[in-house]
Amino acid sequence: MKYKAVISDLDGTLLNGEHKISEYTKNVIKNIIGQGVKFIIATGRHHIDALCFKNQLGADSYLVSANGSKVHDNDNKEIISHNISKELTERLLDIKVPSDTVRGVYLGNNWFTEKYISEFEEYHVESGFRAEVIDFEELRGKEISKIFYISNNIKELEELEKIIKSDKEFCEKLDITASLDNCLEVMVKEATKGNAVLEILEKEGILPEEAIAFGDGLNDKEMLQVVGKGIIMGNASDKLKAFLPDYEVIGTSSEDAEAHYLEKIFK
């Protein structure tokens, strides 16, 4: 089948181990776009951060960011926005986290964190987008796009997830998902990549079955499920593979597996 739209995650999917798009992948995707196919990036990253990758590809399409909290059109105009309410933001800020867990927040055009983490730098070399270190008390009384927790102590992160999910209101109103094993992300319930993709396809008059998507994390699950064909990367989370055991698994992002797959089906 000749798909009319391709939707791709960034980290662990389109980006290689150096967090860049290889020249080979750029050429394959530019060729696909030249055939009139919509190429849509759907990422957990901030839209300003992700915009540089969209520009590298010359993608004339939408950009889904913050796991579906935001959607921007080709003119970088925000057309969809789902924020966490002031009240729920306050309650999330009240949750105590372990000392080795770093909290991050997206609010408007800003990325805030409580302390500088050098590991952030390697992910954002291409865009130059940087987190601003602030006192999170300054976020009280504000709506945010998402809050996320990063820790190399996976067990502690899983315990934190249990704590958040033990709250009935959080479960009813928030989407709590792991984009990576060491990153837990919280958005409003409506903010999923899957929901954002369906809205975009409807705007474009493209049926879900006419789209193919690629992902590697649990935050990609809904997106992979709503399209005609969902593809899982070889380096994907074991949890994602377990949730979608019948889905095709290809090579890794460092092997440019998505581009190789697309090159075959768009000959």
Side-chain angles (χ1 to χ4, degrees), residues 39 73 85 111 230 245:
F39 190 88
D73 65 14
S85 69
W111 167 23

Side-chain angles (χ1 to χ4, degrees), residues 12-13 213-217 220-221 224 229-252 257-258 261:
T13 303
F214 297 80
D216 74 305
D220 297 314
K221 180 166 69 74
L224 299 177
K229 188 169 182 63
I231 302 290
I232 297 175
M233 304 301 294
N235 52 274
S237 157
D238 289 338
K239 293 179 181 178
L240 178 66
K241 292 176 182 177
F243 268 115
L244 305 174
D246 297 327
Y247 279 55
E248 184 175 357
V249 178
I250 59 174
T252 68
E258 177 181 341
Y261 193 96

Side-chain angles (χ1 to χ4, degrees), residues 10-54:
L10 285 177
D11 295 288
T13 303
L14 190 69
L15 307 187
N16 60 26
E18 297 178 347
H19 311 290
K20 297 178 179 180
I21 305 176
S22 73
E23 289 304 314
Y24 166 71
T25 293
K26 287 179 186 177
N27 290 333
V28 169
I29 291 171
K30 286 177 180 178
N31 178 57
I32 292 168
I33 292 171
Q35 296 179 38
V37 177
K38 289 290 181 183
F39 190 88
I40 301 163
I41 290 172
T43 178
R45 291 191 184 217
H46 193 284
H47 81 273
I48 293 176
D49 191 17
L51 187 60
C52 77
F53 297 108
K54 176 185 169 183

Side-chain angles (χ1 to χ4, degrees), residues 6-207:
V6 176
I7 304 103
S8 178
D9 172 50
L10 285 177
D11 295 288
T13 303
L14 190 69
L15 307 187
N16 60 26
E18 297 178 347
H19 311 290
K20 297 178 179 180
I21 305 176
S22 73
E23 289 304 314
Y24 166 71
T25 293
K26 287 179 186 177
N27 290 333
V28 169
I29 291 171
K30 286 177 180 178
N31 178 57
I32 292 168
I33 292 171
Q35 296 179 38
V37 177
K38 289 290 181 183
F39 190 88
I40 301 163
I41 290 172
T43 178
R45 291 191 184 217
H46 193 284
H47 81 273
I48 293 176
D49 191 17
L51 187 60
C52 77
F53 297 108
K54 176 185 169 183
N55 291 339
Q56 286 178 22
L57 298 171
D60 181 13
S61 191
Y62 303 86
L63 174 61
V64 178
S65 60
N67 289 330
S69 296
K70 304 291 181 185
V71 177
H72 288 74
D73 65 14
N74 195 51
D75 296 319
N76 203 29
K77 178 183 176 182
E78 185 180 286
I79 59 171
I80 296 173
S81 177
H82 299 295
N83 291 325
I84 299 173
S85 69
K86 297 175 184 177
E87 294 76 20
L88 286 179
T89 297
E90 292 265 356
R91 295 193 55 218
L92 287 166
L93 292 175
D94 286 337
I95 296 174
K96 292 184 178 181
V97 298
S99 58
D100 57 353
T101 297
V102 179
R103 295 187 295 183
V105 160
Y106 288 169
L107 193 164
N109 288 333
N110 301 107
W111 167 23
F112 297 119
T113 188
E114 294 174 289
K115 58 183 177 182
Y116 171 77
I117 302 296
S118 59
E119 287 83 358
F120 285 164
E121 297 296 324
E122 64 181 86
Y123 281 86
H124 307 282
V125 171
E126 293 288 275
S127 67
F129 190 59
R130 297 290 183 270
E132 179 182 349
V133 179
I134 67 167
D135 181 346
F136 270 29
E137 289 299 304
E138 296 178 31
L139 299 175
R140 293 191 179 274
K142 300 182 185 297
E143 292 186 350
I144 61 175
S145 300
K146 79 170 184 177
I147 183 169
F148 53 101
Y149 309 85
I150 297 175
S151 176
N152 289 323
N153 190 326
I154 307 304
K155 287 186 177 180
E156 284 189 353
L157 208 58
E158 289 175 345
E159 285 302 313
L160 178 60
E161 182 176 2
K162 289 178 183 177
I163 290 171
I164 298 173
K165 287 184 174 179
S166 68
D167 186 293
K168 183 179 179 182
E169 186 177 18
F170 285 164
C171 284
E172 289 175 349
K173 297 181 179 180
L174 300 175
D175 184 65
I176 305 153
T177 187
S179 56
L180 299 168
D181 288 339
N182 67 342
C183 183
L184 180 67
E185 309 199 347
V186 179
M187 294 73 55
V188 293
K189 207 77 168 179
E190 298 83 0
T192 69
K193 292 184 183 183
N195 286 342
V197 164
L198 287 177
E199 290 189 60
I200 289 170
L201 294 178
E202 185 176 5
K203 285 178 181 291
E204 289 296 311
I206 298 173
L207 297 174

